[in-house]
Every structure is written in C-alpha cells, then in structure tokens.
Amino acid sequence: MSDAPPLAPDGLDDWLRRLQREDLPVLGDTVQALCNTAQDHGSSATDLARVILRDAALTSDVIRIANSAYFNPAGVRISTVSRAVIVLGFDTVRAIGLSLTVIDTLVRGDQHSRVRRVFRSSLHAAVQARALAEATGDPAPEEVLIAALLYRIGELAFWSLADDATAAGLETALAEGAGSPADIERDTLGFALRELSRALARDWRLGDLLTGALRPGAPRDGRARLTRNAHAVVADLEAGRLEAATNRVAREARLEPVEAGALIERATAALPELGRALGVDVGARTDAARPERLAEPTRQPDPALQLRVLREMSATAHESRDLQALFDLAVEGLYRGQALDRCALAALRRDRRGLAIRAALGVPAALYGALERVSLEPGSALAGLLAEGRPARLEDPRRRQVMAEAAAQLGPVVFVAPLQLRGRTIGVLLAEPGAASGEALREAFDGFCHLAEQTMLCLGRLTA
C-alpha cells in the first residue's frame, strides 16, 4: 500500500485523476506506447524497441525473459530487443514488455495481500486465455494473454495505491457484506473496481480487445468473450468448481469435456513457468523471486554484447531476407552495445537527393525531420562525403557543412558511414559518441566502423 496522501473514495473520476496525474503517469505512458505499437500496423521492431529501450532495466528484463523456457522453448540465444522480435515475434515481445511494466509498477513492494491474490489470478487467467486462443486458432494468442493479464488492472491499481484506511474499509465490507463484490464496491467507493479497469483501459488506450472484454453486457467479439471467460474459468477453479470450469472451456473451444480438462491442466501447469519467466513467485509473495530494481546504471560500451550483436546480424542475414530486421539490429548494436547516442540508419531516397530514416534510437522527432532534410543534391557536402566511400568522424567546421540544419541539434562530434552495396551507396549510418574523448573516442569510432562494415557484409548476403 502507498504512503502517499489518501486516495479518497469521492468517485471514479477523482480516482482516475489521482492515478493518472500523481501515481501512475509513467505506467500509463509506457503501457499506452506499447499498446499503440500494436494498433499501428505500420509499426516496426524499431518502434517497439524504442519504447522498451527508454528504460535500461526494462530492456535487460525483456531480453532475460526472451531467453526463458516459457517464451523461448527452442533456446535460441537472444541478446537484443530487435533479435527478440525476429525470433519470438512482435506480439510476444510486446506482451513481455507490457507484463513487466505492470508488474514493476503495481505488484512489487509492500503490497496488500489482495494485490498478490488478484495478480496470481490474472496470471492464471492469462495462461488459460492463451491456451484457449491457441485451441480456437486465434491468429495472435499473445494479444489475448495480455488482455487477460490487464483485465483486472483497476483492482491492482486500487489495492496497490489506496491508503490503509480506504483499503481496510473495502476489505471489511467485502468480508462482511452479503451482496455481490461489485455492489459492495459501489456502496463503499461509489464505483465498482471493474469500472475503474474499464476507465483505465479507455483512457490509456489499452486496445479494443481489452475494452470490449470489460464492456458491460455480453461481449460482441469472440476474442473479448474468450478473455472474459478465461477469468471465469479461473474463478471456478479457485472455488473448487472443476466441472463448471471444464464445461466452460469445452463450450468456448468446442472440445469434449476430457479434452477441455486436459487443456486446463496444461495451462495451469504452465503458470509457475510463466511466473519464473516474469520474475515473480506465483506461490508466495509476488516480489520474492527478484529483488527491487536498482538505479539505472550509466550506459557503457559492452564488448561482449557487441560481439553477440554481430553474430545476431550474421544469423539474421542467413535466416531471412528481412532488410528492416537487419537495420534494427545495426542501430540497437550501436545504441546498446557501443553506448553511442542518437543512432540512425537512413536509406537514400529513390531520387537519391535526400535520406529516409529506416531505423533510429535516441533520436527526437525534431532531429529526425532535420536529418531527412539534409540535402544529397550533387555538390552537397553530404553527397561528397558519401562519394568518398569510407566512414568519417565529423567535427567542426566539416560537421556543420555536412549536417546542415541538423548540426544545431547534434553534438560536437558525429560519426557517419556510407552503406554500399556492390559499389553503390544505398544508405548511411550515423551516431554520436556523446561525451567520449581521447582514447575512448577513438575506440568508439573503431567500433562504429566495424559495425558499419558488418552491416554492409550482411546486406550483401541478404541481397545475393
């Protein structure tokens, strides 16, 4: 429970304002950004990586979980968010990021016992929902898993952040009341906690699937019904109503009762494995399996990660013909492996007179646009640099000449490398070394050149 000023039960709108403005603004921003990557069909692995990479601890946890048996049963080694998307899929990586964000904001720490119970039930519903989605041929079972995990987000928020008096008052009312939990909540708080879940799903734009599952009345969408039924199945199981749970699954998945029972057993058996993957102990305190986060470390070059990135780039070149996946890996390698700032890979436009950024990390929107406006007209400084065919470390005055209007938004040193394919320049790799100087600056430039060379080798393999 929170030590913050009490969340007074003055109505749903007051709770929403307090949660969004004072207690959960970061959660709302991060969850919304992750959900937006799913709703925007033009989103790439770079868009997803950009959201995750805002938080170094989240990045580390996503990669750790991407290597877990639950999400990666084949045991493919993963060292970058971009590679995780290639191996596990966009939806799975997004699901991991959303799960971790909710856990670290609402579940860890000195929680009310209800937080642990609600979260365990939500995890259980998530594995049942995923199993049902797979059994019914759903094209994106990870979306259903996430909708089930977030279905009770209003309850998690309340029990995590309410002051002692408010939480104790509702706890007592639920224990002693004779009506339904929703009616007791309305009498005590002025609203039902499911209504808080629905309002958060709406205001944070957590997706049509979750919103539909939380809408009053019977869900009109089959996937929304499945999400809600997964929680009903878990409620039946927790109350000892195994036959009711089995019949519910049998109807939803059109299975024989014996098959439905086996599906429930398999999903339930996967619950501890999902808990371990997410770093929570589903049998005890939900924060017992992993310590609280430490302060984010200062970004430093990681030679071991640099090597793994190079290997993942080679593997991608051999396994697929996905140029965007290679671009994403190259930029993440610069940003995380070499700890460079403002990294971007841009392709030459069709008219070869300007750039179109294909992957970027750490690049604000204003700089993004300025880079795309740098001229490649014949005789321009950037066109001349690319014609030289080798990486360059730009410092003033050449930095201002080459980068034009973008120079004002860049640091005093910029690394630039032409990307060539069979003797023809097709793009450019750019990065800033931040505050590096002396030997550290030389090593940063050497690493940048090495990755640019590896990118060109992989481009050659992909397009052979």
Side-chain angles (χ1 to χ4, degrees):
M1 288 174 290
S2 173
D3 292 328
L7 282 171
D10 292 334
L12 181 60
D13 290 341
D14 288 338
W15 276 80
L16 283 172
R17 281 193 291 271
R18 171 66 189 274
L19 290 174
Q20 294 173 351
R21 293 179 183 176
E22 298 181 37
D23 287 292
L24 301 179
V26 175
L27 173 65
D29 290 346
T30 303
V31 170
Q32 183 176 313
L34 287 167
C35 288
N36 285 345
T37 62
Q39 295 172 9
D40 180 359
H41 298 296
S43 293
S44 71
T46 304
D47 300 312
L48 179 58
R50 188 179 296 119
V51 175
I52 293 172
L53 286 164
R54 293 174 186 169
D55 184 331
L58 177 61
T59 300
S60 176
D61 285 345
V62 165
I63 292 169
R64 174 181 59 81
I65 293 169
N67 284 286
S68 69
Y70 184 84
F71 288 102
N72 185 4
V76 177
R77 179 64 184 271
I78 294 171
S79 300
T80 62
V81 176
S82 301
R83 179 67 174 166
V85 176
I86 296 168
V87 175
L88 305 183
F90 188 98
D91 288 335
T92 298
V93 175
R94 187 179 64 91
I96 292 170
L98 278 166
S99 302
L100 286 167
T101 302
V102 171
I103 290 167
D104 280 309
T105 306
L106 296 179
V107 179
R108 299 210 186 279
D110 184 18
Q111 319 123 330
H112 190 283
S113 61
R114 287 248 178 193
V115 174
R116 300 191 289 277
R117 296 203 296 272
V118 170
F119 184 69
R120 189 188 189 284
S121 294
S122 296
L123 270 184
H124 194 177
V127 296
Q128 295 292 345
R130 185 189 193 189
L132 276 169
E134 291 172 344
T136 56
D138 190 281
E142 303 301 339
E143 290 184 6
V144 182
L145 179 148
I146 284 299
L149 182 68
L150 299 180
Y151 186 79
R152 299 175 71 178
I153 193 169
E155 293 176 65
L156 288 172
F158 174 85
W159 295 112
S160 294
L161 301 170
D163 65 278
D164 290 350
T166 303
L170 182 57
E171 184 82 41
T172 300
L174 288 169
E176 298 176 353
S180 70
D183 287 340
I184 294 171
E185 290 162 3
R186 289 189 186 95
D187 289 342
T188 306
L189 302 175
F191 59 91
L193 294 180
R194 182 172 168 180
E195 294 167 1
L196 179 58
S197 294
R198 184 164 65 246
L200 290 174
R202 177 198 65 215
D203 290 356
W204 289 350
R205 300 202 299 273
L206 300 187
D208 294 338
L209 176 55
L210 179 60
T211 302
L214 289 167
R215 187 176 292 122
R220 295 190 291 269
D221 176 72
R223 302 175 82 214
R225 184 189 66 245
L226 188 154
T227 301
R228 187 184 293 185
N229 271 340
H231 279 270
V233 167
V234 170
D236 286 336
L237 293 173
E238 291 177 344
R241 300 188 295 266
L242 179 58
E243 183 177 358
T246 301
N247 290 337
R248 195 183 298 275
V249 169
R251 289 193 300 271
E252 184 66 48
R254 298 183 180 179
L255 297 173
E256 293 298 322
V258 172
E259 296 172 317
L263 185 148
I264 290 173
E265 289 181 7
R266 287 195 302 273
T268 301
L271 177 58
E273 190 175 344
L274 175 60
R276 285 192 296 272
L278 294 175
V280 296
D281 183 350
V282 296
R285 287 184 56 84
T286 52
D287 61 347
R290 185 165 135 252
E292 292 293 319
R293 285 187 174 188
L294 301 176
E296 291 191 13
T298 303
R299 295 174 63 228
Q300 296 289 340
D302 185 340
L305 178 57
Q306 293 172 27
L307 181 59
R308 293 198 298 271
V309 168
L310 294 177
R311 289 173 178 165
E312 291 186 357
M313 291 173 69
S314 295
T316 299
H318 285 295
E319 294 167 3
S320 72
R321 305 190 70 83
D322 189 343
L323 283 173
Q324 186 60 52
L326 177 63
F327 295 161
D328 293 337
L329 274 168
V331 169
E332 190 174 348
L334 292 174
Y335 189 78
R336 288 186 57 236
Q338 298 186 31
L340 298 178
D341 298 336
R342 297 186 178 186
C343 306
L345 187 152
L348 269 65
R349 295 200 312 251
R350 287 189 177 184
D351 61 10
R352 302 184 64 80
R353 294 173 183 264
L355 299 173
I357 293 181
R358 296 290 299 274
L361 289 171
V363 177
L367 178 56
Y368 202 108
L371 288 172
E372 291 197 329
R373 289 191 294 273
V374 176
S375 174
L376 274 173
E377 293 281 350
S380 67
L382 181 56
L385 184 150
L386 298 184
E388 294 174 6
R390 61 180 181 274
R393 192 176 89 185
L394 300 181
E395 300 178 51
D396 287 337
R398 197 180 185 197
R399 183 191 69 96
R400 291 196 302 270
Q401 295 168 350
V402 171
M403 303 314 301
E405 69 171 279
Q409 301 179 51
L410 291 166
V413 181
V414 180
F415 298 161
V416 180
L419 297 178
Q420 296 185 325
L421 183 63
R422 290 183 280 279
R424 179 180 172 86
T425 300
I426 64 166
V428 60
L429 202 59
L430 304 102
E432 285 184 343
S437 61
E439 184 61 27
L441 181 60
R442 287 189 289 273
E443 290 178 357
F445 185 60
D446 288 344
F448 173 83
C449 293
H450 189 194
L451 191 137
E453 181 180 0
Q454 181 73 5
T455 303
M456 286 190 286
L457 288 173
C458 292
L459 278 170
R461 293 183 192 137
L462 278 171
T463 57

